[in-house]
Amino acid sequence: MAHLYRPVRSHRDDEVLQEELGRWKLFCLTVSMGGLQITWVTVMAGGSPFLLSLGLPPSLVSLVWLAGPICGAFLQPFIGYKSDACTHRWGRRKPFIIYGAVAAIAGMNLLAWTSECTRAVYYILGVDSEGTIPKILTKIAAIIWVWTINASLQPVQCGLRSLAVDSCPASQQVKTSRMASCMTLIGGVAGYACGFLKMPVPESAGWIHNAHFKGLCVIASTVLGVTVAATCAVMGDRPPMEDMQRRRGVKAVYGEIYKTARILPRRIKMVCLVQGFAWLAWFAFLYYAATYLSKLCTSHPDILGTPTNKTDESTVLYTKMGPPSTRFYNALHEESLRHGTLGVMPFSSVALITNISLPYLIQKARFLSLSRVWMGSHILTSICMFALTTVNNFIIASVCVALVGVSWGLTQWAPFAIIGSEIAASMDDAPPSPSSSRADSPLTQSRDLDVDMEKHTPNQSHIQAMTATTMGVHNIAVSMPQMIAAVLSSCIFAVSGVLHIGETDAMAWVLRLSVVAAGCAGWFTRYVD
């Protein structure tokens, strides 16, 4: 028998719940999603090159990125449940959003300055920083900060998504999801644009390594802090429902999460299935697309501003930097990374345009529906990923990446719109409590309440009381496939090293995983409606 929550809500709470937000509040509610996305873009696009620059092998870097999926699969649902039951004076969502943002900002900047901090410690202790053990400890410190960042962003992401669902009625959920995805995509465009900028570094600061990544982390930290402050200052937060205020142990919490997953509405279950296959494809793309384009960029010297008749990548910056040297190759690496990031920027721009224009197209065209368009976007992703890994041209590859932005725009909007509508509909259908009923006789009140409870199924009562937990279950469906993709990527890199396959070709094989996964996602999207 399904566990039944009977939330106690006042008549005033129902009125507030059904009131739609104005444009200003809707902007403040969703603007933090843009700040969060800039942070993710900084970590995903700049994190892999940064870790490789510390000497970590590609196979180990792939395993390091297991931090995100593992935290998303196991930590975020737990945080979601605790958020549903939180009795903090700031509300249910704000404490997790604020504390998570502070920890993420600290982790990002510590990651960027890992080399300098460890060298300073070694200097104080009188240890040679170029020794084997100091280098290993530096790599371990960087891995710890990557895990810290991923763990800290989970409560921010979960809190912001849940706050959006809590604050809007069912009639406004699609609009809110579209607004949040627009902010997310704007943040992506801004993040990739900042990645192309050349950070100013004084000539006297030659001891600073990876100055470009450090500048990106400062920008991302500032934007995340400002946007989170705006959201928390303007938006209100609802107290927990009566039955959710009981403290539970870890075992009971995960048991409740499992129970919630079992009684989810059919549409939400199908969305989770589709997201599982979709994110099996997205993992490789998000973490390796920019790096893959930068590798292709080095084979096209004209992209880097040198004569086209110089085809050897070792001569790309010869005219600028002189004979090959450490400084020469560092400049080549940084220049190719900047252009690789620039190649990914149209991807976010296309996603933003898709997000703005497609809802109106769906409304005008009667034969289109959200699920059909979502299905088509997965098929487009499969085709473009196949083309991306078969061409050896930077320009054509950038076009393929840009077209994938159509699917990314829908991924940021469609699943959350469907899930949010289902949750908000169960909230709006919730029965009134006896204290909030009209002033009839006790017999009339009891009869009306029994009728309302018969219409309101146990599943609806549970889902509407467990908003953040439901979003956490969805995040498990998103995170588990990424763990599988990370392990497969690591295996591909390891095998490629044994077979002496180049790093660019190895990345191409990793990206080919997305072709089949995206095709499967498109197939199962047929059953969402």
Side-chain angles (χ1 to χ4, degrees), residues 163-181:
L163 184 63
V165 174
D166 290 343
S167 303
C168 302
S171 60
Q172 204 178 17
Q173 284 297 321
V174 173
K175 182 179 180 180
T176 304
S177 295
R178 189 168 67 246
M179 185 75 171
S181 61

Side-chain angles (χ1 to χ4, degrees), residues 245-371:
Q245 296 183 10
R246 294 175 294 182
R247 294 183 179 273
R248 295 176 181 266
V250 174
K251 185 177 179 180
V253 169
Y254 281 104
E256 201 66 39
I257 293 170
Y258 173 73
K259 194 177 299 182
T260 301
R262 289 185 58 190
I263 65 172
L264 286 175
R266 188 195 68 84
R267 291 191 76 200
I268 296 182
K269 287 182 178 179
M270 288 308 304
V271 168
C272 290
L273 179 61
V274 172
Q275 286 285 77
F277 284 102
W279 277 92
L280 188 61
W282 282 121
F283 177 87
F285 179 86
L286 293 175
Y287 281 102
Y288 294 108
T291 307
Y292 182 73
L293 287 180
S294 70
K295 298 293 183 182
L296 291 180
C297 188
T298 58
S299 64
H300 289 263
D302 53 303
I303 300 297
L304 298 175
T306 56
T308 57
N309 59 349
K310 296 185 180 181
T311 56
D312 184 11
E313 66 182 62
S314 65
T315 63
V316 171
L317 295 179
Y318 184 87
T319 56
K320 297 181 181 179
M321 309 295 297
S325 62
T326 301
R327 182 167 172 256
F328 171 86
Y329 285 114
N330 287 340
L332 172 63
H333 176 71
E334 182 178 342
E335 198 75 11
S336 62
L337 276 179
R338 289 176 58 241
H339 284 81
T341 304
L342 180 64
V344 180
M345 192 173 71
F347 157 78
S348 293
S349 302
V350 171
L352 178 60
I353 295 171
T354 300
N355 222 3
I356 295 173
S357 59
L358 201 56
Y360 300 101
L361 180 61
I362 294 175
Q363 290 177 355
K364 296 293 182 181
R366 294 184 179 181
F367 64 91
L368 289 179
S369 65
L370 182 57
S371 59

Side-chain angles (χ1 to χ4, degrees), residues 58 142 198 231 322 374 446 469 493 514:
K198 201 163 187 176
T231 298
W374 195 22
S446 177
T469 308
F493 281 121
S514 305

Side-chain angles (χ1 to χ4, degrees), residues 19 136 251 267 346 402 436 453 462:
E19 181 181 349
I136 292 176
K251 185 177 179 180
R267 291 191 76 200
S436 63
M453 290 304 297
H462 190 96

Side-chain angles (χ1 to χ4, degrees), residues 58 284 288 291-299 313 385-386 388-393 488-489 491-497 499-513:
Y288 294 108
T291 307
Y292 182 73
L293 287 180
S294 70
K295 298 293 183 182
L296 291 180
C297 188
T298 58
S299 64
E313 66 182 62
M385 293 302 293
F386 178 77
L388 173 64
T389 57
T390 53
V391 301
N392 192 28
N393 183 281
L488 291 176
S489 300
C491 292
I492 290 174
F493 281 121
V495 172
S496 299
L499 299 177
H500 303 289
I501 297 176
E503 190 175 335
T504 304
D505 292 333
M507 285 186 185
W509 281 106
V510 170
L511 292 170
R512 287 186 182 110
L513 293 174

Side-chain angles (χ1 to χ4, degrees), residues 335-528:
E335 198 75 11
S336 62
L337 276 179
R338 289 176 58 241
H339 284 81
T341 304
L342 180 64
V344 180
M345 192 173 71
F347 157 78
S348 293
S349 302
V350 171
L352 178 60
I353 295 171
T354 300
N355 222 3
I356 295 173
S357 59
L358 201 56
Y360 300 101
L361 180 61
I362 294 175
Q363 290 177 355
K364 296 293 182 181
R366 294 184 179 181
F367 64 91
L368 289 179
S369 65
L370 182 57
S371 59
R372 287 180 180 177
V373 175
W374 195 22
M375 177 183 68
S377 71
H378 291 310
I379 296 173
L380 177 64
T381 299
S382 183
I383 295 172
C384 290
M385 293 302 293
F386 178 77
L388 173 64
T389 57
T390 53
V391 301
N392 192 28
N393 183 281
F394 176 80
I395 303 298
I396 298 176
S398 298
V399 172
C400 294
V401 169
L403 290 175
V404 177
V406 175
S407 181
W408 181 244
L410 278 164
T411 299
Q412 296 297 312
W413 164 47
F416 297 103
I418 296 171
I419 294 174
S421 297
E422 290 287 324
I423 296 175
S426 67
M427 288 182 175
D428 289 349
D429 292 339
S433 62
S435 61
S436 63
S437 300
R438 61 183 182 276
D440 292 333
S441 64
L443 181 61
T444 303
Q445 292 183 8
S446 177
R447 188 186 307 115
D448 291 344
L449 183 60
D450 290 340
V451 172
D452 286 335
M453 290 304 297
E454 288 177 2
K455 294 179 180 178
H456 190 69
T457 65
N459 287 11
Q460 286 177 316
S461 298
H462 190 96
I463 295 301
Q464 67 118 354
M466 305 283 285
T467 301
T469 308
T470 303
M471 300 303 290
V473 171
H474 167 259
N475 203 66
I476 292 176
V478 169
S479 301
M480 294 298 288
Q482 295 183 62
M483 297 169 61
I484 298 173
V487 173
L488 291 176
S489 300
S490 180
C491 292
I492 290 174
F493 281 121
V495 172
S496 299
V498 173
L499 299 177
H500 303 289
I501 297 176
E503 190 175 335
T504 304
D505 292 333
M507 285 186 185
W509 281 106
V510 170
L511 292 170
R512 287 186 182 110
L513 293 174
S514 305
V515 177
V516 177
C520 293
W523 173 265
F524 285 107
T525 308
R526 302 168 57 213
Y527 304 102
V528 170

